[in-house]
Amino acid sequence: MTRGLEFAYLRDNRLSSLSGFPQLAHLKVLDLSNNALTTLAELPILPQLKELYLAGNKITDVSTIPALPALEVLSLRGNHITSLVGMNEFPNLTALFLANNKLDSWRGFPVFPKLDSLRLLENPIARQPFYSVAAISLYFKSLSKLDGFAISPEDKHQAESLPIKFALLLRRGMPLFEASASSLDEQCDRFCVESQKDVSQASSCKLASCYVVGNAVEQQTITAKFEFNCDDHIHAEKATLASNDFSLIGGLRFCWFRATRGDSPVPIPTATKQTYTTTTGDIGCCLVAECHPVLPSGEVKTPFYVYSRDVAPEKPTVAVIELVGKAVDGGQLTVSVHYVGGAEGASEIRWFHVPPYRPDKPTQIPMELKARFIMLDTSDIGSIIMAEYTPVRSDSERGTPVSVRSEIVKPA
């Protein structure tokens, strides 16, 4: 009888266990509100379940909620939840209701890529300063409602102005906006070090500092620096080892990740050195370097990590410019450039006649500013053709014009 069941309403039944709950392959809605459940460990995976209501129970550990691939709505209002550490990252979740619990930190909040509505009122976390901005930062791309109200453009803009590493470190337990920090970047960098200092690693080495050297700008090289305090068994005193001199442990293994706003960091497959040269694809992203201490035996230990500032575009620049084609009557010359500086906008191209005997007196040829090629005719014979390229980024910032000249145009 239950094989094709799609809706199950079991609220207000004083249930304290789900032992023996059937595998309902077609179940779409399950309401277990106002019971006495403390765990969901006995709930089987329900592949088509879209809505799960668990309000008014005694749940403390959300990691016992099984992976539910189709889940869209999850209500956990009025339980005893203090942390979301270990909770599954439900890929289709659009609404999460957590009001009236005991959450006092953003530590462990999963990445829900489709989360549209979040409710957290009557939690200690909701009384923190800048609470709404923090919530938007965590779910920047999808969240449109917080505690039942539409997110204001002002809060959205403020969240967008924060560094990406802010949300990443909130998920690691960083408190909101410490008054002792002179800037948010300073707070993030300080927490990154302090939160890792007590992690026991190989030998007796502990993290002393970590930072990124270099400017987080397109086409620039940055370096992840890690320094450790280690017991020097020869001199019986503390020695500080930099990440390029780690002989007491055996070595370090690096990998870099790219994080966009509101998302988890994604590994960059080829970035496995201490240094990394940023690319156009990194613009607007935060780069994360993980450093794995390696024992002389080859055992790889738990990694340390450090975050860059958000990668900024280089000033609009033409790195290479050339004219392709033959400078002859009836020929075609095309300007070819290698542009650097973020997304290219409406760059401008101007064409000129240059007299060989007066190279400092070019005369502009009337053409559209977007024309990347010129067809040569008899009027061009005896002149040098010059192309001047002004790089312009998509935000209208202009770079320095550069030019290239052809040979003297000859008859066909």
Side-chain angles (χ1 to χ4, degrees):
M1 293 177 61
T2 62
R3 185 170 299 175
L5 191 68
E6 294 187 357
F7 305 92
Y9 298 97
L10 301 172
R11 59 187 301 141
D12 303 308
N13 277 298
R14 300 181 182 179
L15 294 173
S16 60
S17 171
L18 294 177
S19 177
F21 194 93
Q23 178 70 55
L24 301 172
H26 300 283
L27 191 66
K28 294 180 179 179
V29 177
L30 175 59
D31 189 349
L32 291 164
S33 301
N34 302 326
N35 282 289
L37 298 171
T38 59
T39 178
L40 272 293
E42 296 167 326
L43 183 69
I45 294 178
L46 304 170
Q48 294 192 37
L49 190 69
K50 292 180 179 291
E51 300 179 20
L52 177 59
Y53 299 94
L54 296 164
N57 280 279
K58 300 178 181 180
I59 297 167
T60 58
D61 185 1
V62 293
S63 68
T64 64
I65 303 174
L68 301 167
L71 192 66
E72 296 176 1
V73 177
L74 176 59
S75 175
L76 288 160
R77 177 180 54 82
N79 279 275
H80 301 160
I81 299 166
T82 59
S83 170
L84 298 191
V85 172
M87 189 177 192
N88 278 301
E89 296 186 354
F90 305 110
N92 291 298
L93 193 70
T94 61
L96 177 60
F97 305 135
L98 288 162
N100 193 18
N101 277 283
K102 300 178 181 180
L103 293 163
D104 61 1
S105 165
W106 298 99
R107 182 172 179 266
F109 268 65
V111 173
F112 299 124
K114 297 182 180 180
L115 190 67
D116 176 73
S117 179
L118 176 64
R119 296 195 180 199
L120 286 166
L121 287 179
E122 299 180 76
N123 281 278
I125 197 173
R127 296 190 289 272
Q128 296 179 354
F130 303 102
Y131 148 74
S132 61
V133 175
I136 298 166
S137 296
L138 290 181
Y139 302 105
F140 183 82
K141 293 180 179 178
S142 60
L143 197 67
S144 67
K145 295 179 182 178
L146 181 62
D147 298 322
F149 296 95
I151 291 171
S152 70
E154 293 78 15
D155 282 349
K156 186 83 170 181
H157 177 73
Q158 187 173 0
E160 189 173 18
S161 70
L162 300 176
I164 292 173
K165 63 183 174 183
F166 170 71
L168 297 174
L169 289 168
L170 282 182
R171 285 193 167 102
R172 288 185 177 266
M174 184 179 74
L176 279 174
F177 299 102
E178 291 179 346
S180 59
S182 62
S183 70
L184 185 55
D185 270 315
E186 179 187 326
Q187 178 185 336
C188 289
D189 294 343
R190 181 191 302 172
F191 176 82
C192 188
V193 175
E194 296 298 326
S195 63
Q196 299 180 91
K197 276 188 174 180
D198 295 332
V199 179
S200 298
Q201 294 293 332
S203 183
S204 54
C205 291
K206 294 183 179 180
L207 184 71
S209 65
C210 61
Y211 49 95
V212 174
V213 177
N215 295 323
V217 177
E218 178 190 13
Q219 301 293 329
Q220 299 293 312
T221 298
I222 57 177
T223 304
K225 291 284 189 179
F226 294 83
E227 295 179 348
F228 300 85
N229 286 326
C230 299
D231 289 331
D232 186 332
H233 299 289
I234 298 176
H235 302 291
E237 60 186 15
K238 290 290 182 182
T240 299
L241 297 176
S243 51
N244 58 353
D245 178 22
F246 211 59
S247 55
L248 287 183
I249 284 188
L252 298 175
R253 183 177 298 172
F254 290 90
C255 58
W256 290 83
F257 296 74
R258 181 187 296 116
T260 56
R261 195 172 298 279
D263 292 332
S264 295
V266 176
I268 304 172
T270 58
T272 56
K273 297 181 179 179
Q274 187 176 355
T275 59
Y276 174 72
T277 300
T278 62
T279 68
T280 301
D282 297 322
I283 294 173
C285 299
C286 172
L287 298 171
V288 185
E290 279 194 353
C291 166
H292 299 251
V294 183
L295 297 179
S297 65
E299 180 185 355
V300 180
K301 304 298 287 185
T302 302
F304 294 101
Y305 58 91
V306 67
Y307 299 89
S308 78
R309 285 169 167 73
D310 296 353
V311 177
E314 180 64 273
K315 181 180 178 180
T317 304
V318 174
V320 178
I321 183 170
E322 61 179 343
L323 284 177
V324 179
K326 292 184 178 181
V328 297
D329 178 21
Q332 175 179 305
L333 292 176
T334 302
V335 64
S336 175
V337 302
H338 175 59
Y339 169 91
V340 176
E344 187 173 8
S347 295
E348 299 173 358
I349 307 168
R350 293 174 173 84
W351 295 90
F352 297 84
H353 281 136
V354 182
Y357 53 89
R358 292 298 303 272
D360 58 335
K361 295 289 185 179
T363 302
Q364 186 170 350
I365 304 170
M367 296 181 65
E368 292 185 3
L369 292 178
K370 296 181 180 180
R372 289 183 173 263
F373 68 89
I374 183 172
M375 299 300 299
L376 304 177
D377 57 30
T378 55
S379 66
D380 301 311
I381 295 173
S383 294
I384 295 170
I385 301 298
M386 181 177 79
E388 181 187 81
Y389 198 102
T390 302
V392 180
R393 200 163 58 214
S394 58
D395 61 2
S396 299
E397 182 171 345
R398 301 169 69 87
T400 302
V402 297
S403 60
V404 61
R405 301 188 181 200
S406 72
E407 297 177 347
I408 297 174
V409 178
K410 299 177 181 180

